[in-house]
Amino acid sequence: RWHDKGADWHTRKKTPAAWLRTQFRIAKTMPLRLDELPLELLVLTLRALSAQQLCCCDATCKALHAAARDESLWRSLCEQHWPSGPNLSSCRASFSSANGFAHLRRLPRRVIDVVERKDGPGRRAGQRDVPAQVTSVDADAIRLVASLNAKGGAYGEVVCLSRTGVRRWSLQLGRLLKDVRIVGEHLLALYADTDWEPKLAVVGANGALRGKLCSLPAASAGAVPAGWGSYHGLAVPPSQPDTALAYSVSGCWCAVDLPTGATLLHADAGHLGSPDAEHYSLCADPLHPHLATAAWRAGARSWLGRVDVRCGAGLQALLCTRHSGLLRVGAGREHRVLTSHARCKEIEVWDVRGFSSSHDSEHARSSQPRVEAWRCAGNGPDFDFNDGVLAAVSAGAPGTSFGAKLHVFADAPRRITADVPLSEIVIDDSYRHTCPRGIRVGGGTISLIADRRRAIQCLVAETSVESVRL
């Protein structure tokens, strides 16, 4: 009691400034706890962290968990990983669930009959006739677009449906419709007119033709005839949607300026340096609109090459993938491309900066800039990468054609893998491999071709995903 009285008397004799200096010395020697700091100060400190580090802090303690839940932290990171915005209303939930697609089993999906089934003449009641088949699909946040081809090349048709599956409008274009892509509010269609000449058309949101019809140069390479057989698919650079790349399976491709309809560059199969090239495909670079990655088969090898539109039709770099049955090539994140092969279950990721600048095939075989690989259930997976999410569809059972599986992979900010069997596909005959792209990711949906007349669309459900914590 005497000590407490003397301490109080000693403190009262000091001036306010001296008392504050004493308290500051005591505070410097005492450990500081995180829960004693203001929440605003913790949020300001966490702004300097990356997405992976922020996820780790979120699972550390209660104080950091409360600070890491601030939406302002995740909103700035969403712009880096998903330029088109998160699929969920909560930016934090998008990061913890691969932009909404990690929980495939809880997400609703619907089967859409893209091709209208009509009664054929002379058929009995109950029998149906399928007049056309689906050749490509694309989707955004409000619509699903598909291209159809009638039997025998009678006509090609673009069909636009809402997310509920209700048909909005349809437009017939020429004789054969190869590919359709959503570019902003408009559509870009690759088709053959009544004279079997390849053309590009810009279609408005209401189904009316807009702008000029771009006539593509006819190309002939090897046994592939000129005209409609020359071009197979489209590639549109995301950073420059006014330019479109059309390519053929025989190695011919051209770059077209959509506002003017002028052909910027045209190349035949000679730029590959492989006279026996087949199954050629092309993907545009997401960051550099003048760069593209080409893929083709030549004999028992598959090759990847970098093409610069500004420098002519020659290859700038070359790589041998050490596989024989190349199926798909797609653009990944910066300096990355993805490939799949017919007799391989993996989707391989390559770094284009490791391609050989020499056109010597032996030197190109020795360089192997493979970064990683994602393994699917069956051989020959078809895939698409968009908004930081990789979606793939493959055969359900290895070595068989029964069923199919849908896979979702994500490597940022955490490695997530999810898959779900597609019971709607009883027998998978790999028909989508004959299309420019059998699966598309975009607008909070995964859309894929189920068979020749149906499409499956998987939607992100906000309520079912946000309530789950990983």
Side-chain angles (χ1 to χ4, degrees):
R1 183 180 303 176
W2 173 85
H3 177 74
D4 294 342
K5 182 177 179 181
D8 295 340
W9 172 82
H10 179 71
T11 305
R12 286 197 299 268
K13 287 185 62 177
K14 287 188 176 182
T15 61
W19 182 83
L20 288 176
R21 286 194 297 267
T22 303
Q23 296 299 321
F24 181 71
R25 293 193 194 97
I26 297 174
K28 287 179 64 176
T29 59
M30 295 180 59
L32 187 63
R33 296 173 53 184
L34 282 176
D35 54 0
E36 295 177 354
L37 290 177
L39 183 62
E40 295 79 6
L41 183 59
L42 287 176
V43 172
L44 187 62
T45 306
L46 295 180
R47 289 187 184 280
L49 302 182
S50 63
Q52 292 86 346
Q53 295 169 345
L54 196 57
C55 286
C56 294
C57 291
D58 191 3
T60 302
C61 62
K62 292 183 179 180
L64 291 179
H65 175 71
R69 292 180 64 90
D70 192 277
E71 279 293 311
S72 62
L73 297 174
W74 301 97
R75 194 175 298 111
S76 59
L77 294 174
C78 275
E79 299 176 358
Q80 304 175 11
H81 289 269
W82 304 299
S84 59
N87 290 328
L88 305 179
S89 58
S90 171
C91 298
R92 177 179 173 272
S94 298
F95 270 95
S96 62
S97 62
N99 205 14
F101 289 110
H103 309 280
L104 284 177
R105 298 183 183 275
R106 303 191 180 191
L107 300 184
R109 66 177 185 266
R110 59 174 60 96
V111 181
I112 301 175
D113 284 324
V114 181
V115 180
E116 289 185 339
R117 310 182 75 173
K118 301 178 180 179
D119 291 328
R123 293 184 178 271
R124 296 175 304 192
Q127 289 185 335
R128 301 289 183 180
D129 184 23
V130 182
Q133 59 186 12
V134 183
T135 57
S136 66
V137 293
D138 202 357
D140 58 7
I142 59 175
R143 56 189 168 173
L144 171 69
V145 180
S147 60
L148 310 178
N149 276 337
K151 292 181 179 179
Y155 64 90
E157 185 178 5
V158 181
V159 179
C160 181
L161 303 98
S162 64
R163 292 189 65 167
T164 58
V166 179
R167 179 173 297 226
R168 289 186 172 182
W169 52 264
S170 61
L171 175 67
Q172 292 190 6
L173 286 175
R175 289 180 176 271
L176 198 67
L177 194 57
K178 289 283 189 172
D179 197 5
V180 61
R181 296 296 298 268
I182 296 178
V183 183
E185 297 181 356
H186 307 299
L187 308 179
L188 187 61
L190 173 64
Y191 72 103
D193 60 6
T194 55
D195 296 328
W196 300 102
E197 295 297 329
K199 287 188 176 182
L200 281 177
V202 180
V203 185
N206 56 353
L209 291 175
R210 303 177 66 92
K212 297 183 179 181
L213 296 178
C214 306
S215 297
L216 303 181
S220 178
V224 180
W228 66 272
S230 330
Y231 296 98
H232 178 68
L234 289 171
V236 181
S239 57
Q240 190 175 352
D242 292 338
T243 303
L245 303 175
Y247 61 90
S248 71
V249 294
S250 60
C252 308
W253 64 277
C254 68
V256 180
D257 185 31
L258 296 179
T260 62
T263 301
L264 303 178
L265 185 65
H266 174 229
D268 55 12
H271 78 283
L272 300 178
S274 302
D276 56 345
E278 61 178 359
H279 203 81
Y280 183 88
S281 59
L282 195 74
C283 69
D285 193 281
L287 298 180
H288 306 90
H290 55 273
L291 293 178
T293 302
W296 68 94
R297 302 178 190 169
R301 295 289 181 180
S302 298
W303 299 86
L304 295 176
R306 292 288 281 177
V307 179
D308 194 334
V309 178
R310 303 169 300 177
C311 303
L315 293 176
Q316 306 300 316
L318 195 63
L319 173 72
C320 178
T321 64
R322 300 183 182 273
H323 291 280
S324 59
L326 181 70
L327 285 179
R328 297 292 189 198
V329 60
R333 299 188 186 274
E334 55 179 297
H335 309 300
R336 303 290 175 87
V337 293
L338 301 91
T339 59
S340 65
H341 300 81
R343 297 182 179 181
C344 181
K345 298 180 178 64
E346 294 180 340
I347 300 175
E348 298 177 308
V349 184
W350 308 87
D351 191 342
V352 298
R353 294 171 294 185
F355 286 16
S356 173
S357 58
S358 173
H359 286 194
D360 184 9
S361 60
E362 294 299 329
H363 189 272
R365 292 180 185 179
S366 61
S367 59
Q368 285 294 311
R370 173 173 145 167
V371 180
E372 60 178 341
W374 303 90
R375 190 171 182 85
C376 298
N379 291 334
D382 193 5
F383 66 90
D384 189 29
F385 179 84
N386 191 18
D387 289 338
V389 174
L390 172 63
V393 57
S394 65
T400 68
S401 61
F402 295 100
K405 262 193 174 184
L406 178 62
H407 310 265
V408 168
F409 309 102
D411 59 347
R414 63 209 311 185
R415 192 175 180 93
I416 296 176
T417 304
D419 62 84
V420 59
L422 297 175
S423 57
E424 298 86 355
I425 302 178
V426 180
I427 297 179
D428 188 12
D429 57 355
S430 300
Y431 165 72
R432 67 182 68 87
H433 289 160
T434 63
C435 306
R437 185 72 69 183
I439 182 171
R440 290 286 172 84
V441 181
T445 63
I446 297 178
S447 306
L448 60 99
I449 299 176
D451 49 35
R452 287 172 170 77
R453 67 175 183 83
R454 298 184 306 163
I456 297 178
Q457 195 172 43
C458 183
L459 307 177
V460 175
E462 299 182 1
T463 55
S464 63
V465 176
E466 288 185 1
S467 60
V468 178
R469 295 182 180 178
L470 294 181

